[in-house]
Amino acid sequence: MSRKYAACVVIFVWVLLPLCANAGELISTNNTFELGMTYYKFDYKEDVDPPLKSTEDGWLPGVYFGYTYNRPDGVYTKLFLEYSSGDVDYDGTTQSGTPVRFNDSAQELYRYEWNIGYTFSVSKTFSLTPFAGIGYRFWRRGKSEIRASFVTLQEEYEWLYVPVGLRADVVLSRRLSLEPSAGVRLVFDGTMTVLYSDIYAVNNDPELDLGNKIGWWAELPVRYRFAQHWSFVVTPWYAYSAIGKSDEAFVSDGQTTLVVYEPSSRTHQYGLKFAIALVY
């Protein structure tokens, strides 16, 4: 379902929108400060051999702040900060294959991104902006707890990535415009730390080097300007990310040594953003 959703967004963005550019004009200089919230589906799955299983699925709320400077036939730049957290459903197994399910798997995610590009005016109502940048993502997954028949451990993921994308500005009227974008995220320098020391008397928390995989995203902001310098923005969006299998590390309590690694995985995220923006 998520792939169909993403495909529809991409087709609408790059095929239909240029045909609509006919009313209003592009703003000559555009500083936009945007504050909003998001609500999205989080769908995570690890690549493990049956009967082993590890999936997390649910809806997460979040907040974000963005600043954009966009000038037709000029430099484009954007700064974006996002935070989301909440509980989702966990459906998996222990290492021995015993089924485990619970509905309070805590998730906390941060994302920081800075982009720079150049805006090319195609017409008075349509422009294209190729861009690239640098981003950072942090994900605190689960919590360390001793439950009735099993133990859960908190894991902390972080990685850097290079976003490379293309966005458009399409003016439909004096009040309504569309700002679609899509691109890839080139991930590097990913690590994961398993917090064994929260539960066990170990001499280290292993840090694993994650495998790099390419992710991608697409979004379609719809902006309605209700006052001279104020607008309301609704954005349907989709993002795909993946993690490659990590290297192996060791954790020991002085008597027993375990070999640990992180399997490869993939994550689908899709939802809506709602924001108020100051534009001048």
Side-chain angles (χ1 to χ4, degrees):
M1 180 177 178
S2 59
R3 292 182 180 178
K4 293 181 180 179
Y5 175 91
C8 290
V9 171
V10 173
I11 291 172
F12 185 65
V13 167
W14 304 122
V15 177
L16 298 182
L17 294 188
L19 302 179
C20 300
N22 53 21
E25 291 187 8
L26 295 171
I27 299 174
S28 59
T29 300
N30 189 348
N31 291 279
T32 303
F33 295 88
E34 193 167 297
L35 182 64
M37 60 182 295
T38 184
Y39 192 63
Y40 64 93
K41 184 67 175 293
F42 182 83
D43 177 8
Y44 169 84
K45 181 179 180 181
E46 291 183 357
D47 301 323
V48 292
D49 296 328
L52 300 181
K53 183 181 182 182
S54 181
T55 67
E56 288 177 297
D57 185 87
W59 290 85
L60 294 175
V63 293
Y64 70 93
F65 168 79
Y67 165 74
T68 303
Y69 175 81
N70 189 23
R71 180 179 180 180
D73 295 313
V75 173
Y76 162 89
T77 190
K78 180 176 182 178
L79 175 68
F80 183 84
L81 313 173
E82 181 183 62
Y83 171 79
S84 57
S85 67
D87 293 341
V88 299
D89 297 330
Y90 178 83
D91 183 6
T93 62
T94 63
Q95 293 298 317
S96 61
T98 302
V100 173
R101 292 186 180 182
F102 50 90
N103 61 5
D104 60 346
S105 179
Q107 312 295 320
E108 189 173 13
L109 300 101
Y110 302 80
R111 186 165 68 89
Y112 313 125
E113 185 173 313
W114 175 67
N115 295 321
I116 189 165
Y118 191 88
T119 297
F120 298 91
S121 297
V122 179
S123 69
K124 290 185 177 180
T125 57
F126 181 66
S127 68
L128 288 172
T129 306
F131 63 87
I134 187 70
Y136 168 79
R137 183 179 178 186
F138 176 85
W139 174 25
R140 182 175 289 115
R141 178 190 177 201
K143 49 190 172 183
S144 299
E145 287 187 325
I146 301 176
R147 304 205 179 208
S149 58
F150 58 92
V151 172
T152 62
L153 293 171
Q154 186 177 101
E155 299 171 339
E156 296 182 346
Y157 301 74
E158 59 183 332
W159 59 83
L160 297 170
Y161 64 90
V162 174
V164 179
L166 180 67
R167 59 161 281 161
D169 285 278
V170 183
V171 178
L172 301 180
S173 70
R174 294 182 62 185
R175 294 189 179 271
L176 187 64
S177 62
L178 304 174
E179 301 166 6
S181 68
V184 298
R185 292 176 176 144
L186 310 175
V187 176
F188 66 98
D189 200 27
T191 63
M192 185 195 79
T193 302
V194 189
L195 301 183
Y196 278 90
S197 62
D198 285 351
I199 302 293
Y200 302 106
V202 297
N203 55 21
N204 68 303
D205 286 326
E207 182 176 283
L208 306 169
D209 292 327
L210 302 173
N212 299 325
K213 289 192 174 182
I214 297 175
W216 67 278
W217 88 95
E219 64 177 19
L220 179 57
V222 180
R223 183 179 302 276
Y224 178 77
R225 183 168 297 191
F226 59 86
Q228 182 178 2
H229 296 294
W230 293 94
S231 61
F232 179 68
V233 188
V234 178
T235 306
W237 64 276
Y238 169 86
Y240 169 83
S241 59
I243 294 172
K245 182 179 177 180
S246 74
D247 61 348
E248 295 182 345
F250 301 92
V251 59
S252 175
D253 61 2
Q255 297 179 339
T256 303
T257 299
L258 296 177
V259 179
V260 297
Y261 72 93
E262 174 70 359
S264 59
S265 63
R266 60 88 181 135
T267 302
H268 297 290
Q269 296 169 271
Y270 54 90
L272 288 173
K273 296 176 185 176
F274 305 91
I276 293 292
L278 170 64
V279 184
Y280 68 90

